[in-house]
Amino acid sequence: MVAATRAIRAATGAPSGEGRAASGRRTARPTAPGAVGRAEAPEPGENPRPDQDPAPGQGPRPVGEGVGRPREGGRDRSRPRGEQPSGPRGEPGGRGGGAGRSAGEPTGAPVPPQAAGERSPAGGPARSAHPPQPGESGELAAARQAGGDRLRFIGAATRRIARGIDLDEIVLGLCRATVPTFADAILVYLRDPLPVGDERPTGPVVLRLRRTDRIPEEPDTNGVRMPVLPAQPDLGPAMGGSAAELAEVRPGGPLAEVLRGVRPLFGEAQAARTALPELLGADTRLPGGHRVVLAPLRGRRRVIGAAVFLRTPDRPAFEPDDLLVAAQLATHTALGVDKAVLYGREAYIADALQRTMLPDSLPQPTGVRLASRYLPAAETARVGGDWYDAIPLPGSRVALVVGDVMGHSMTSAAIMGQLRTTAQTLAGLDLPPQEVLHHLDEQAQRLGSDRMATCLYAVYDPVAHRIVIANAGHPPPVMLHRGGRAEVLRVPAGAPIGVGGVDFEAVELDAPAGATLVLYTDGLVESRIRDVWTGIEQLRERLTETARLTGPNPPPLEPLCDEVLDMLGPGDRDDDIALLAARFDGIAPSDVAYWYLDPKAQTAGQARRLARRALSRWGLEELTDQLELLVSEVVTNAVRYAERPITLRLLRTDVLRCEVGDDVPQLPRLRQARPSDEGGRGLYLVNRMTRRWGATRLSMGKVVWFELSMPPGAGRG
C-alpha cells in the first residue's frame, strides 16, 4: 500500500507519507480505494470543476463513474462490511479488470486493505476523504467521493502544467501528471511550426510528435512501475508498437474534422477510428474498448495539436467522465503552450534588439587588439542599457567607448541605441573626447528629462603611444601593464550624461606597448553585497593574479575577459555587464614615415620621391610603381584646393597604409568620368588598385587614405 501511495503521489507531484510511525505520530492520509489523482489537495479557495459536457453520443453520465470510481476487485461500499464479491476465480475480491497489475500501480489495481472503517497498519482506523453522510446510501457516497477525487486530480494536474514556463516544461508537466495516474501512455503532438499570436501560417498543417511517456514493460527493483523520462515514440509491445513522428493534416480529412470539433473522443468513436491512423500511422495497433482517448489541443485562437491517452488491456477502460478530465487537461496544456510560444517570441525579440544595439564584431584597427563581453542582468531581463564600441579614427587611431543607460527595459535599450549612434557620428567628426560627451549630454536632454547615462570615451593613438580619456560619471578604467601591475587610472569622474549644464574634462596618459586597458560597466564591480570601490579593487587584484600566470608576457585577451567575469559570485548579477579590453601594440617609429608638403605644382613629384625612398628603406620595392601612381593622384587632388601645407604619412604594419591630409573639409566622391572630362579618374584608379580606401572629415579638414597588401615574404624589420 505504501508503494502504491508513493507512485500516485510521484505522478501528481504531491508529497509522500510514510504511514503512521511506531511512536504514534500522525502521518499522511492513506489513499482511498479507487481514488485516482487524490495525491494533492486543492489550494485554499480553489474548487476546480469540469466545465464540459460529455461528447454527443456518449449518453448521460453514470452515477459514480469516473476517475474516482471504485474498481472491480475492491470492496463495494453498499455491501455490509466483511461481505466481498467473489472474483472470476472464486477468490474474495477477484482480479477483475485489474488483473496482472503490480502492487505499486495507482490505477486499476486491487483495492488495498485500508478501506473505510478497516484498521491501518499502525492499528488505527483508516479515514476516508469523504465520510458517508447520515442517511446517505453507499452508491451516493461513492459517487460523491468519485467526483471529489476527480476534481482533486484535475487541480493537481493543471497546477503542474501551469508551473512550466517554456514549451518542454509544459508538455513534460502534462505527461508526468497523467502517467501512470490517468493513463498508461500518452503521446503529445504539436503543430510544426507553432503559430504565434495572430499570425496565419501558410502551407499544410503538420503535427510533430513532441513527447511520449509510458509505464515501462518491466517493473523496477521496488516493484513500482514509474513513467520513463526520455521522449521516445516507442510505446512498447503492449501499447501498439511505435507511432509516427510526423502527421500532415489533410484539409477536410478525418483528423482535420476531429481537431475542428475540439471535444475529446474515445478511440472507438467513428470519427476517431479514421483520425487515429492518420495521426499515429496506419500500422499502429491500439488497445480495444474505451482505452484510447483522442483530445485536440486548442489554444486561444486555433487548434495547435493533439494528445492521445492510452490504457493497457489489464486496466479498466476509460469512462465517459474521463472525457471531461481529458478536456480539462488538453485545455490547460494548450493555453500553456500558447503562453510559452508568446514568451519565446518576446525573448527572441529582446535578444534580437540587444544584438542589433551592440556591435556584431569588433574592428581590428592597426596597433591595437580588442575583445569584449556582454551579459544581461538575468534571463528575465534580456535587454538593458549597457553598451560598448570601438570606432576607427583617422591617423590609425581608435575610439573606445563604454556606457550604461539607467534601467533594464526596452526603453533603456532604445535610448542606448540612440546614444551609441550619436557617439559613432560624433567620433566620425574627430571631435575631442570631452566634446563628444558634451554633445551626448545634449542629446540625452533632448530625449527626455529623466534620460540618465554614464559613459567613458577614450581615443588611443598607436603612433604617439598616448591615450586621451574623458569620463561622464562612469567607473574608472583599469590599466594592466606588461609587467603584471594593475593600476586604476585617475580620471575625473564628471557628471552623468543627461544632467546638463556641466563641463567634461579630458586627461592624456601614456599607453605603452603591451599594456591592456579594461573598460567596464558598474554591473561588474557593484552589487547588493559589495560597493563599487570594493568591486574595483577586486577587479584590480584579479587582473594582477591573471597576469602572474603568463609571466613577462601579457595574458591573451579572450581568456583574460573570461577570468574577469569569473570574479562574479552568487548574488553579484544585479545589473547588465559590458566589458571591453584593448591590448596596445602600438606602431614603432621605424615603421612610420611622415612629411609636411607645401601646396605647389611640384608637390606631387616630391611626394613620389619621398614614397620611393621609404619603400626602399623598408625593402618593399615591389610596391614602388603602384604606390607612386596612387600617391601622385591623391596628392594632386589635395594640392589643387588646399591653402595650407598638406601631410603625407606612410605606415608599415601588416599592410602598407598611406594617409594624405589637407585643410579642405569637402570629402571626395567616387564617380564615373565622362569621355569629355579632363579629370575625375584619380579616385577610380585608387578604388581599383587598393585593398581598401576611404576619406574622413576632421575638425580642420580631411584625410584621404588607402591601403596596399604587403607582398609575399615581406616582414617588418
Side-chain angles (χ1 to χ4, degrees):
M1 176 60 192
V2 174
T5 305
R6 288 178 179 172
I8 295 176
R9 295 184 182 275
T12 57
S16 62
E18 296 294 339
R20 189 181 301 271
S23 60
R25 181 182 53 184
R26 184 182 300 274
T27 59
R29 183 179 300 169
T31 304
V36 180
R38 287 185 49 214
E40 186 171 347
E43 297 292 334
E46 178 179 337
N47 186 22
R49 14 183 314 205
D51 55 0
Q52 299 187 17
D53 296 328
Q58 300 297 333
R61 185 185 310 169
V63 178
E65 294 186 359
V67 178
R69 182 186 178 187
R71 293 178 294 273
E72 297 182 26
R75 183 175 62 84
D76 188 349
R77 294 175 180 267
S78 62
R79 296 174 179 269
R81 185 174 304 158
E83 292 188 22
Q84 296 296 327
S86 299
R89 302 183 181 181
E91 299 173 358
R95 302 184 69 176
R101 304 290 289 183
S102 63
E105 293 186 60
T107 307
V111 176
Q114 287 180 275
E118 297 185 19
R119 306 292 293 179
S120 66
R127 298 186 178 182
S128 173
H130 297 274
Q133 299 295 329
E136 185 178 42
S137 66
E139 184 176 350
L140 291 178
R144 188 165 59 87
Q145 179 170 336
D149 293 342
R150 184 180 300 108
L151 293 179
R152 271 186 293 275
F153 167 71
I154 294 175
T158 54
R159 283 194 298 272
R160 187 160 193 170
I161 295 170
R163 282 198 294 264
I165 296 179
D166 60 22
L167 191 61
D168 291 332
E169 289 180 350
I170 293 171
V171 176
L172 178 61
L174 172 64
C175 295
R176 294 293 179 81
T178 56
V179 178
T181 310
F182 180 69
D184 294 329
I186 183 175
L187 300 95
V188 182
Y189 283 84
L190 296 179
R191 292 183 64 166
D192 186 25
L194 280 167
V196 181
D198 295 327
E199 69 178 17
R200 297 183 177 274
T202 59
V205 177
V206 177
L207 300 183
R208 178 181 293 275
L209 182 61
R210 186 75 184 191
R211 186 177 180 89
T212 68
D213 225 349
R214 65 179 175 87
I215 300 177
E217 296 298 326
E218 297 296 333
D220 62 8
T221 55
N222 295 327
V224 179
R225 299 182 180 181
M226 298 298 292
V228 295
L229 300 182
Q232 298 292 340
D234 183 18
L235 297 178
M239 299 302 294
S242 60
E245 295 190 23
L246 286 177
E248 181 175 344
V249 182
R250 294 181 286 105
L255 181 57
E257 293 299 325
V258 171
L259 296 180
R260 187 178 297 112
V262 178
R263 291 179 177 274
L265 298 175
F266 285 126
E268 288 191 342
Q270 178 62 33
R273 278 204 305 266
T274 55
L276 284 171
E278 184 179 348
L279 178 65
L280 306 179
D283 298 333
T284 305
R285 301 180 309 277
L286 298 176
H290 286 182
R291 289 183 169 83
V292 179
V293 173
L294 174 58
L297 303 179
R298 179 176 178 82
R300 292 175 175 84
R301 293 175 177 85
R302 61 181 64 85
V303 175
I304 60 175
V308 181
F309 304 93
L310 303 100
R311 285 186 181 178
T312 55
D314 60 346
R315 182 174 181 174
F318 290 110
E319 300 174 355
D321 283 345
D322 291 334
L323 294 178
L324 301 178
V325 177
Q328 288 290 318
L329 297 177
T331 299
H332 285 81
T333 302
L335 294 178
V337 169
D338 263 356
K339 174 189 66 177
V341 172
L342 291 174
Y343 175 78
R345 173 58 63 90
E346 291 179 357
Y348 169 79
I349 293 174
D351 289 340
L353 175 63
Q354 191 67 56
R355 285 193 302 268
T356 55
M357 294 296 181
L358 297 174
D360 292 334
S361 60
L362 293 174
Q364 298 298 327
T366 303
V368 62
R369 287 173 287 170
L370 302 172
S372 63
R373 294 290 187 274
Y374 175 81
L375 294 178
E379 288 294 326
T380 55
R382 297 172 181 265
V383 294
D386 292 16
W387 91 91
Y388 62 89
D389 212 342
I391 310 168
L393 300 178
S396 299
R397 296 171 301 152
V398 59
L400 307 174
V401 191
V402 63
D404 183 3
V405 178
M406 180 179 61
H408 311 97
S409 62
M410 303 288 275
T411 302
S412 301
I415 296 173
M416 177 265 287
Q418 297 180 70
L419 293 181
R420 177 173 176 250
T421 302
T422 304
Q424 289 179 330
T425 303
L426 296 172
L429 300 177
D430 198 27
L431 298 178
Q434 64 272 22
E435 289 296 324
V436 172
L437 295 183
H438 175 73
H439 288 291
L440 285 177
D441 180 63
E442 292 181 339
Q443 175 67 11
Q445 294 180 63
R446 285 191 290 267
L447 295 176
S449 58
D450 57 345
R451 305 309 189 217
M452 305 288 292
T454 63
C455 182
L456 190 143
Y457 188 94
V459 176
Y460 169 64
D461 189 342
V463 177
H465 296 272
R466 303 282 289 178
I467 186 169
V468 181
I469 306 175
N471 191 3
H474 204 77
V478 179
M479 178 82 76
L480 178 61
H481 295 273
R482 189 181 186 91
R485 180 175 63 92
E487 173 189 9
V488 180
L489 299 183
R490 296 183 178 180
V491 180
I497 290 174
V499 173
V502 296
D503 293 330
F504 300 98
E505 182 181 354
V507 295
E508 186 173 357
L509 305 171
D510 289 330
T516 304
L517 184 68
V518 179
L519 308 177
Y520 53 91
T521 55
D522 58 357
L524 180 66
V525 295
E526 185 180 18
S527 67
R528 291 171 294 179
I529 60 177
R530 62 179 177 182
D531 61 84
V532 61
W533 289 108
T534 301
I536 292 175
E537 181 62 22
Q538 293 178 1
L539 172 61
R540 189 191 65 80
E541 294 175 355
R542 175 56 65 95
L543 291 174
T544 302
E545 295 173 359
T546 305
R548 290 195 186 119
L549 300 177
T550 58
N553 299 320
L557 279 183
E558 296 294 339
L560 178 63
C561 292
D562 295 334
E563 287 292 331
V564 168
L565 294 181
D566 285 343
M567 66 178 284
L568 298 171
D572 288 347
R573 292 290 304 281
D574 296 334
D575 198 357
D576 307 9
I577 297 175
L579 176 66
L580 179 63
R583 174 71 43 77
F584 300 142
D585 294 333
I587 301 177
S590 59
D591 293 327
V592 181
Y594 194 89
W595 303 279
Y596 285 95
L597 304 176
D598 293 328
K600 299 185 300 184
Q602 301 82 3
T603 300
Q606 181 184 3
R608 289 194 296 270
R609 291 191 299 271
L610 294 174
R612 187 186 314 116
R613 293 173 186 172
L615 293 183
S616 177
R617 184 170 67 252
W618 291 335
L620 301 176
E621 290 83 357
E622 298 180 31
L623 301 178
T624 300
D625 295 339
Q626 188 178 3
L627 181 62
E628 285 186 358
L629 175 60
L630 298 174
V631 166
S632 179
E633 292 293 339
V634 177
V635 170
T636 299
N637 290 337
V639 169
R640 180 176 301 176
Y641 304 103
E643 297 180 358
R644 298 180 181 179
I646 64 175
T647 59
L648 173 64
R649 185 165 72 168
L650 297 179
L651 301 173
R652 181 185 64 159
T653 57
D654 53 342
V655 296
L656 180 64
R657 182 183 177 98
C658 176
E659 299 174 352
V660 178
D662 57 55
D663 60 345
V664 181
Q666 287 78 17
L667 300 179
R669 302 299 181 190
L670 181 64
R671 63 184 180 88
Q672 186 71 33
R674 294 173 296 182
S676 59
D677 292 342
E678 296 183 1
R681 296 174 178 83
L683 288 181
Y684 179 78
L685 292 176
V686 173
N687 183 63
R688 294 299 298 267
M689 298 178 63
T690 61
R691 183 172 177 264
R692 63 190 186 113
W693 74 280
T696 305
R697 182 179 284 110
L698 305 178
S699 57
M700 297 298 294
K702 69 175 181 295
V703 168
V704 179
W705 56 269
F706 61 84
E707 293 178 353
L708 298 176
S709 299
M710 302 290 280
R716 298 170 62 178

